[in-house]
């Protein structure tokens, strides 16, 4: 069974940092591009970042560029999102997504990040 | 950035009746490979989104055939043949043509 399990969320003060992880199983991880998509409480979906299968191509939403860093470790079947200089508007449920927008799209349940003083 | 606009934002339906959701993009989603880069997702209450339609009209694995995606260029429609109880939730269109990937605002389908 294909599974994506996010972890690392929590409560952090403005200006703080967090590292999210996504553990993948049930498929060949390095066959797929991966993404992070977030959903603020009661709001819609916002794409955050993409990384291609080997990490050579990376993109970010303007809202997180320069503050967030996406990475992957194919040997560990894991995706990461290093978040720094966090702001209140970064408060959201963060989903790890395989193959976003394409035939193989699968979403994890997400991990909650709350930025509050 | 490509702006995705859905309508309606709220869709009250009667079980067994058909339903349609429109999605318009601010730029054409038709790639030179002749595929439209438009996906539809459903987020059921309390769950993560799951894929219904990709490349404009291709039904994802396991998706019932009562769901149909159509359209090309900038105008797309998701049609549900006969709405069932399990179809309740928020529907999102999304363009994976170019970054930043963008979603529509979401359409909440609920029973009258």
């Amino acid at each position: 069974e294909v599974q994506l399990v996010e972890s690392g969320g929590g409560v952090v003060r403005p200006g703080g940092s967090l590292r999210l992880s996504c553990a993948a199983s049930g498929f060949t991880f390095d066959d797929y591009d991966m993404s992070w998509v977030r959903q603020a409480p009661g709001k819609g979906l916002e794409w955050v970042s993409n990384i291609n299968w080997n990490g050579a191509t990376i993109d970010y939403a303007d809202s997180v560029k320069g503050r967030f860093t996406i990475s992957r470790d194919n040997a560990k079947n894991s995706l990461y999102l290093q978040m720094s200089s966090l702001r209140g508007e970064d408060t959201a449920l963060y989903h790890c997504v395989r193959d976003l927008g394409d035939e193989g799209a699968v979403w994890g349940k997400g991990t909650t990040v709350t930025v509050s003083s | 950035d490509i702006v995705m606009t859905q309508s309606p934002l709220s869709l009250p339906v009667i079980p067994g009746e058909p339903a349609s959701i429109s999605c318009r993009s601010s730029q054409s989603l038709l790639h030179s490979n002749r595929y439209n880069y438009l996906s539809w997702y459903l987020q059921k209450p309390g769950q993560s989104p799951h894929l219904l339609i990709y490349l404009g009209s291709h039904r994802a694995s396991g998706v019932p055939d009562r769901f149909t995606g159509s359209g090309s260029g900038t105008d797309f429609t998701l049609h549900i043949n006969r709405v069932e109880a399990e179809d309740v939730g928020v529907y999102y269109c999304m363009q994976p043509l170019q970054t930043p990937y963008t979603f529509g605002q979401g359409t909440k389908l609920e029973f009258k």
Side-chain angles (χ1 to χ4, degrees):
Chain A
E1 179 194 2
V2 173
Q3 274 201 312
L4 297 169
V5 180
E6 301 91 337
S7 61
V11 180
V12 61
R13 294 188 187 278
S17 299
L18 273 179
R19 188 193 196 210
L20 306 185
S21 298
C22 170
S25 60
F27 64 99
T28 303
F29 185 65
D30 57 11
D31 275 352
Y32 292 90
D33 297 352
M34 299 294 295
S35 304
W36 289 98
V37 175
R38 67 185 180 184
Q39 188 167 28
K43 301 295 184 182
L45 302 169
E46 181 189 14
W47 170 78
V48 173
S49 182
N50 265 13
I51 185 168
N52 79 325
W53 70 275
N54 65 357
T57 303
I58 286 173
D59 290 290
Y60 298 100
D62 284 347
S63 57
V64 307
K65 202 172 292 183
R67 301 187 300 121
F68 290 12
T69 301
I70 192 172
S71 61
R72 65 190 295 162
D73 185 335
N74 288 342
K76 294 183 177 179
N77 292 337
S78 293
L79 176 72
Y80 306 101
L81 187 68
Q82 178 68 49
M83 305 186 296
S84 60
S85 303
L86 284 162
R87 308 166 179 166
E89 54 264 37
D90 296 319
T91 294
L93 180 64
Y94 284 74
H95 295 278
C96 166
V97 187
R98 183 190 83 170
D99 210 18
L100 179 65
D102 209 343
E103 181 178 6
V106 173
W107 293 59
K109 289 183 173 17
T111 185
T112 299
V113 172
T114 303
V115 183
S116 174
S117 54
Chain B
D1 298 2
I2 299 176
V3 177
M4 306 297 289
T5 304
Q6 290 182 230
S7 63
L9 299 185
S10 177
L11 184 55
V13 298
I14 296 172
E17 292 293 305
S20 290
I21 300 170
S22 171
C23 176
R24 289 187 172 177
S25 56
S26 60
Q27 299 175 36
S28 176
L29 303 183
L30 182 61
H31 193 275
S32 56
N33 63 12
R34 299 191 179 186
Y35 287 108
N36 284 283
Y37 280 65
L38 186 282
S39 302
W40 289 98
Y41 286 94
L42 166 58
Q43 186 171 30
K44 296 182 181 181
Q47 296 184 18
S48 301
H50 71 271
L51 181 68
L52 295 173
I53 302 289
Y54 64 99
L55 295 178
S57 61
H58 293 73
R59 207 175 292 117
S61 177
V63 173
D65 60 9
R66 64 178 180 274
F67 290 92
T68 303
S70 64
S72 183
T74 61
D75 289 319
F76 299 89
T77 302
L78 177 69
H79 183 74
I80 310 173
N81 199 11
R82 290 189 204 87
V83 177
E84 297 188 5
E86 63 182 21
D87 301 338
V88 165
V90 181
Y91 291 77
Y92 294 94
C93 62
M94 181 217 137
Q95 66 82 16
L97 179 65
Q98 65 184 55
T99 57
Y101 297 162
T102 45
F103 292 87
Q105 316 97 301
T107 295
K108 187 172 185 179
L109 185 147
E110 52 195 354
F111 288 143
K112 286 183 179 176

